[in-house]
Amino acid sequence: MALEEAKEKEVKEEAKKNRRFSLKYMSLASRFSMVIIIFMVILVAILSAILFKNMKDDKIKEGYNHMKYEQRAADDTIMQAISSIHMSVRIFDNDESLINLLLRAAKGESLSTEELLTIYEGDLNTLTRITANNPLMYAVRAYGVNDNLTEMMSVLYKNQRIKNLDWGNEPDIAGWHFDYKDSVFNSLTVSDNVRLVSYVDRLSSISYGTVGYIESAMRMEDMFPKLYDDEDKTDWAFYYDEYGNLYHGTNWPDEAGEIADIIRENKRIRYQKDIVLIQVKNKMLMVYSLPISDLGGTYYGVHDITSGIEKVNTSRIIFIVIMLGFIALFWVIIDRLVVRKMLTDFYEIIDTIRYVENKGDISVRVNEGIGETTEMGELAHQFNRMLDRIEELMREKVQKEVLIKNAGIKALQNQINAHFIYNVLESIKMLAEIDEEYVISDSITSLGKLLRYSMKWTSGNVTVGEELDYISNYVALMNLRNDFKVILSTSIPEHLLDQEIPKMSLQPVVENAILHGIAPRGEDATIYIKVREEDKFGRKSVRIEITDNGAGMPYETLQKQIKILLGEEKADDSGHGIGMKNVCDRIHLSFGKEYGMAINSEEGKYTKVTFELPYIKGERKTGYKNEKSIDS
């Protein structure tokens, strides 16, 4: 620090020396004129800075108030739309006559014409009127679970109609669906300009289960009106659903897609409910985010104040030019204007170059307004263009590195052990064939949780609590297919359940413990998971230990596994060790090379896998209970 200050002082001293050398050849009148001009320039700079800063602040404040209003209006509109959709669903869901009709159709029973007329003129007609009285609703339609159903237009449809919709072939159609067209009847498809958003819910009977589905739909423009507002090109909006899909309307400026991704990745916007002013792609944007828990996504509103700021900057330039004109006129009167200004401009450029060289700060710029018609102005312009290009190249390099890192993490995450899934399903199937027990229901529930956790990659990291919730389900399923019992025992401080870890990082270790440590013995065993805090590298870290009292591994096998983790040796053709290596690589990509994994084992006694991670508090989304031990 002292060396840098000394060097900066030396640069300033050299600049002053150069100026004194030039000034000593000037006449007294020239020196006097120079002092007057300097005072005038300073006065104009201060006045313009104060005046135009206030103008710029007024523009920003005006935009802030505008966005506050838009944020409240968007929140009210979306909440009202969601409420209307849910209310329509509840009305249909609570209609016993409709449920009974769908139940009979699901069972294959047929209804007489008289019964159908009674139902249509009664409850279904009432439901139709209730829906029609809500101006926000586009349609509320009920579908059977099969095609054994007499269709009653605008309300009741066969199951085959679902397949005509964009989302009709999804594995689970229940939930929210966005931006699709009404194609229930292929030959009567509504114009593509009508885009719909809907919530699909199951209609169930206690005795039978799912008997049908209810689709409550409205136009996208009724739920997200700002997405389709073409009147004001400076205001636009977009919506990201929980899977990262982007939805927007026709009021979509150039480069908006790239800007939307940048805004979504901005943590200040994502985690701050207030209005945020950012600069993206040479645009000054005021942005707010509106997380919508009911939809699972986030709505973003954007107000472009670039033109307003540019008008202020233009006015400032005009003001400076006018003031400089008066100064130039005065200097012409006292002569030698051009020489003096050239020297001043030259030294300003030199000082900026030296500042960049010594400080490495390429955010500074030379005022291109100086000497606009001289070589000094061209030099300033070219120097600024060079700095702009350097900054642009640096930003591109950082973005590329981030993309490469994210791609690496995603590639390592998207691995699903299909063989394991098939084995578990086969075990449940055999259990069902042999003996009818309620444990099958619990098993399927655990498997469902396991599958949803494995296949739904919504973020890079999860919490320890979420991973343990998954592991407990995994161990429960493994206990079904094995004759021995695996007991999961944990020792974890409550606050460390919120520690962030890469998703599916603990599970491969537990899987190895069961398959290679406990299964060969075929006896009941315990897997012990311990989490504690430590100080490492001068900052707080977390140590996770997973120990099993299984068969352990020979010394040679242990050394090979360690070399695989360190990257000194590749896994053999059987694939043993690749799962652990992937986990280690993901830790390196997420937290850095100073963190990772270690393995220790003794044949016939135990195997211990240790994780070293930085302390990062996450947000737990599961209800994992921190118990002393869990007999899975």
Side-chain angles (χ1 to χ4, degrees):
M1 180 63 71
L3 182 61
E4 291 180 358
E5 291 177 353
K7 191 172 183 179
E8 181 180 354
K9 184 177 180 181
E10 180 180 351
V11 171
K12 291 182 178 179
E13 297 267 300
E14 186 66 21
K16 291 180 180 178
K17 179 180 177 181
N18 290 337
R19 286 194 177 93
R20 286 196 297 269
F21 180 80
S22 300
L23 292 175
K24 73 179 183 179
Y25 293 101
M26 295 182 181
S27 64
L28 182 61
S30 298
R31 297 183 187 184
F32 181 76
S33 300
M34 180 196 66
V35 172
I36 295 176
I37 290 176
I38 289 176
F39 275 109
M40 292 182 65
V41 170
I42 293 174
L43 180 61
V44 169
I46 293 174
L47 289 175
S48 63
I50 295 174
L51 175 62
F52 293 102
K53 182 182 182 302
N54 290 336
M55 293 175 61
K56 183 177 180 180
D57 290 343
D58 288 342
K59 286 289 184 183
I60 294 175
K61 185 177 181 180
E62 179 183 341
Y64 179 86
N65 293 333
H66 170 76
M67 291 301 282
K68 269 296 183 184
Y69 171 80
E70 291 291 339
Q71 186 181 30
R72 288 193 295 268
D75 191 18
D76 292 342
T77 300
I78 294 172
M79 290 301 103
Q80 182 180 1
I82 294 173
S83 177
S84 296
I85 288 178
H86 283 315
M87 181 175 63
S88 300
V89 171
R90 286 194 297 271
I91 291 173
F92 275 65
D93 193 38
N94 294 328
D95 190 278
E96 295 182 0
S97 177
L98 175 63
I99 299 298
N100 184 56
L101 173 62
L102 293 174
L103 174 61
R104 294 180 64 180
K107 291 181 177 180
E109 298 179 8
S110 60
L111 278 76
S112 65
T113 303
E114 182 179 354
E115 288 178 311
L116 290 173
L117 287 175
T118 301
I119 294 173
Y120 184 78
E121 294 175 355
D123 289 349
L124 290 185
N125 193 25
T126 301
L127 293 175
T128 303
R129 288 199 306 271
I130 292 174
T131 303
N133 289 334
N134 189 338
L136 290 178
M137 299 308 300
Y138 174 82
V140 182
R141 297 181 282 222
Y143 302 90
V145 293
N146 54 37
D147 293 335
N148 182 37
L149 186 67
T150 301
E151 293 186 329
M152 298 181 182
M153 292 305 133
S154 79
V155 177
L156 198 59
Y157 298 90
K158 297 179 179 179
N159 184 265
Q160 66 178 7
R161 300 297 184 188
I162 298 178
K163 305 302 180 181
N164 294 336
L165 297 170
D166 293 346
W167 45 265
N169 294 310
E170 294 180 4
D172 185 4
I173 65 174
W176 288 97
H177 304 281
F178 300 94
D179 200 23
Y180 67 93
K181 61 185 179 181
D182 184 5
S183 54
V184 169
F185 299 98
N186 287 333
S187 61
L188 300 176
T189 300
V190 177
S191 170
D192 287 346
N193 293 329
V194 179
R195 310 299 293 182
L196 302 179
V197 54
S198 68
Y199 180 75
V200 178
D201 195 15
R202 293 182 178 86
L203 295 175
S204 302
S205 170
I206 297 176
S207 61
Y208 188 85
T210 301
V211 298
Y213 298 91
I214 179 71
E215 175 200 13
S216 182
M218 67 171 52
R219 292 177 176 85
M220 283 284 289
E221 61 189 65
D222 289 333
M223 177 172 282
F224 305 116
K226 204 63 183 179
L227 268 63
Y228 303 92
D229 183 6
D230 295 331
E231 295 182 0
D232 188 355
K233 296 298 183 181
T234 62
D235 276 9
W236 46 284
F238 55 93
Y239 174 73
Y240 276 101
D241 66 13
E242 60 181 323
Y243 305 106
N245 297 316
L246 173 64
Y247 301 96
H248 60 83
T250 55
N251 185 13
W252 196 239
D254 296 337
E255 299 181 334
E258 186 176 354
I259 292 174
D261 289 337
I262 295 173
I263 290 174
R264 180 170 178 254
E265 295 300 323
N266 191 310
K267 292 183 178 180
R268 285 180 58 214
I269 300 173
R270 185 186 301 179
Y271 300 115
Q272 183 172 326
K273 293 184 178 179
D274 203 359
I275 311 301
V276 177
L277 176 64
I278 61 172
Q279 183 171 358
V280 182
K281 295 292 183 181
N282 296 323
K283 295 179 180 292
M284 296 295 293
L285 306 176
M286 303 203 77
V287 185
Y288 68 80
S289 64
L290 197 62
I292 307 171
S293 58
D294 287 318
L295 301 181
T298 304
Y299 177 87
Y300 294 89
V302 182
H303 178 49
D304 190 347
I305 62 171
T306 305
S307 60
I309 298 298
E310 287 178 350
K311 288 179 181 178
V312 174
N313 293 336
T314 301
S315 300
R316 177 170 54 190
I317 293 174
I318 294 174
F319 177 81
I320 292 174
V321 170
I322 293 175
M323 291 297 100
L324 288 178
F326 281 109
I327 294 173
L329 180 60
F330 180 75
W331 182 251
V332 168
I333 296 174
I334 63 172
D335 203 12
R336 300 184 67 177
L337 172 64
V338 175
V339 175
R340 178 67 192 98
K341 185 166 179 58
M342 286 181 61
L343 290 176
T344 303
D345 297 341
F346 176 77
Y347 286 123
E348 184 174 345
I349 296 172
I350 290 296
D351 289 346
T352 304
I353 294 174
R354 288 173 176 168
Y355 180 86
V356 173
E357 178 185 5
N358 288 281
K359 291 292 187 180
D361 182 7
I362 62 173
S363 64
V364 298
R365 293 292 184 273
V366 178
N367 180 10
E368 295 186 12
I370 62 174
E372 292 179 338
T373 59
T374 66
E375 291 80 3
M376 292 299 104
E378 177 65 18
L379 178 61
H381 176 69
Q382 295 299 331
F383 180 73
N384 286 343
R385 287 188 60 187
M386 179 186 69
L387 294 178
D388 292 339
R389 182 56 180 164
I390 292 174
E391 278 193 329
E392 182 181 352
L393 291 173
M394 292 179 65
R395 285 194 300 269
E396 291 176 355
K397 182 179 179 181
V398 171
Q399 290 174 353
K400 290 178 181 178
E401 291 177 351
V402 171
L403 290 175
I404 292 172
K405 178 180 178 181
N406 290 341
I409 293 175
K410 282 293 183 183
L412 291 171
Q413 287 179 336
N414 290 331
Q415 297 185 20
I416 300 174
N417 192 338
H419 183 67
F420 163 73
I421 295 176
Y422 298 146
N423 284 342
V424 172
L425 291 176
E426 184 65 23
S427 298
I428 295 175
K429 176 182 176 181
M430 295 298 297
L431 183 62
E433 292 177 352
I434 294 172
D435 192 6
E436 295 182 358
E437 293 184 2
Y438 289 109
V439 70
I440 298 176
S441 175
D442 296 336
S443 302
I444 295 176
T445 300
S446 297
L447 179 59
K449 291 180 180 179
L450 186 147
L451 291 175
R452 284 193 295 272
Y453 184 87
S454 300
M455 298 179 182
K456 187 176 180 181
W457 297 99
T458 58
S459 64
N461 294 332
V462 297
T463 63
V464 171
E466 292 172 319
E467 187 79 354
L468 287 178
D469 190 30
Y470 172 81
I471 289 174
S472 65
N473 288 313
Y474 170 80
V475 172
L477 292 172
M478 292 300 294
N479 283 337
L480 289 175
R481 56 177 301 207
N482 297 316
D483 295 331
F484 55 85
K485 176 76 72 173
V486 177
I487 299 174
L488 183 64
S489 179
T490 63
S491 175
I492 307 171
E494 184 68 27
H495 69 282
L496 291 184
L497 288 173
D498 296 328
Q499 162 69 21
E500 279 196 9
I501 58 174
K503 191 171 185 179
M504 297 289 285
S505 56
L506 303 185
Q507 188 274 343
V509 179
V510 174
E511 181 179 354
N512 283 346
I514 295 175
L515 296 181
H516 305 298
I518 298 174
R521 286 188 169 185
E523 301 174 353
D524 292 355
T526 299
I527 296 178
Y528 181 60
I529 300 179
K530 180 180 180 181
V531 183
R532 67 175 184 269
E533 289 185 29
E534 292 185 343
D535 286 330
K536 188 174 183 180
F537 308 117
R539 56 180 179 267
K540 188 184 296 184
S541 63
V542 173
R543 184 183 183 92
I544 302 176
E545 296 178 354
I546 302 179
T547 308
D548 69 83
N549 57 350
M553 61 181 76
Y555 178 79
E556 295 76 12
T557 304
L558 175 62
Q559 294 304 310
K560 180 177 181 179
Q561 293 298 318
I562 293 174
K563 289 181 179 180
I564 291 175
L565 282 184
L566 296 176
E568 298 175 358
E569 186 174 326
K570 292 185 178 180
D572 54 28
D573 296 336
S574 64
H576 292 312
I578 188 65
M580 301 282 283
K581 182 63 168 65
N582 285 348
V583 173
C584 189
D585 289 343
R586 287 164 56 201
I587 292 174
H588 290 162
L589 287 173
S590 297
F591 306 118
K593 291 289 186 180
E594 64 268 28
Y595 299 100
M597 297 170 56
I599 303 177
N600 192 15
S601 181
E602 187 172 345
E603 186 175 8
K605 294 183 178 181
Y606 72 92
T607 298
K608 178 192 288 186
V609 178
T610 305
F611 293 77
E612 291 286 348
L613 305 172
Y615 178 72
I616 302 176
K617 184 177 177 63
E619 182 179 352
R620 195 165 11 133
K621 300 177 181 178
T622 62
Y624 176 78
K625 296 181 179 179
N626 188 5
E627 301 175 352
K628 184 67 176 177
S629 65
I630 300 174
D631 187 352
S632 300

